[in-house]
Amino acid sequence: ENYPAWDTNGDCVLDNYNFYEFNGSVTSRVYDEDDVEIGAAGDLVAAFVGDEQRGVACASEVPEALNGGYAFLMMVYSNVPTGETLTFKYYSFADDTIYDTSESLAWESNMVEGDLVDYYALNVSTSTDIAIDMSFFDGGKFYLDFVKTQSTHYSIGYSYQGDCQKP
């Protein structure tokens, strides 16, 4: 439902790469807020300058000899040799969700950022915080927080501020 149109022909290469004069590469892995690698088959990473997409990579399985998991081997493109800033988005196939990453990277023609061993780490926050506040007749307040920490895990917290004695 939310699958992005980052690679319409499914070849894991920016569809309009021939519009650009310069290129470089970024090899990355994706981590959540607990520093757990979360890349998986079917996932995508895309690079942007502003709202303009400049690269895309499909998840590639990494051999166990290189610590396993999934990496994203992306060619990125520009029409200027330097002076732009790349930002990244991650699509999780399992969650059917697009996440912004917290990293940005200065563009430079012929750049080589990362490889399968010394990768460029992209970090995303996959938690979803839902807060419910309820007020009671005695002026007290009850707070309930649901935090989605992974696609199948939730953390629940609650608190009450007020007089806890019987009326």
Side-chain angles (χ1 to χ4, degrees):
E1 178 178 315
N2 294 319
Y3 193 84
W6 295 341
D7 181 23
T8 58
N9 60 7
D11 65 356
C12 302
V13 176
L14 183 68
D15 292 339
N16 64 341
Y17 70 90
N18 57 322
F19 291 8
Y20 299 98
E21 181 177 356
F22 303 105
N23 65 51
S25 70
V26 178
T27 300
S28 61
R29 293 188 188 223
V30 180
Y31 293 85
D32 68 11
E33 58 274 355
D34 296 322
D35 205 29
V36 174
E37 186 179 349
I38 58 173
D43 294 355
L44 299 171
V45 167
F48 296 86
V49 172
D51 292 331
E52 184 179 354
Q53 184 184 347
R54 296 293 185 86
V56 65
C58 301
S60 298
E61 193 168 3
V62 177
E64 285 302 320
L66 298 173
N67 298 322
Y70 287 85
F72 299 86
L73 291 72
M74 179 170 34
M75 292 297 295
V76 292
Y77 302 90
S78 180
N79 280 321
V80 295
T82 61
E84 295 182 318
T85 301
L86 298 169
T87 60
F88 303 91
K89 293 183 183 285
Y90 164 68
Y91 171 74
S92 168
F93 182 78
D95 294 342
D96 191 31
T97 302
I98 297 170
Y99 299 98
D100 291 321
T101 71
S102 55
E103 287 70 32
S104 63
L105 191 58
W107 161 257
E108 186 176 323
S109 179
N110 297 318
M111 64 192 280
V112 177
E113 287 291 328
D115 57 42
L116 290 180
V117 176
D118 186 20
Y119 48 84
Y120 184 72
L122 296 173
N123 296 282
V124 299
S125 175
T126 59
S127 66
T128 303
D129 191 358
I130 301 169
I132 300 171
D133 297 346
M134 294 181 277
S135 295
F136 292 90
F137 64 91
D138 66 352
K141 289 192 175 232
F142 181 76
Y143 301 95
L144 185 61
D145 292 316
F146 296 91
V147 179
K148 182 178 181 184
T149 57
Q150 294 179 7
S151 61
T152 58
H153 296 84
Y154 291 85
S155 171
I156 300 174
Y158 62 91
S159 64
Y160 181 79
Q161 292 178 351
D163 186 1
C164 294
Q165 298 178 10
K166 291 183 183 179

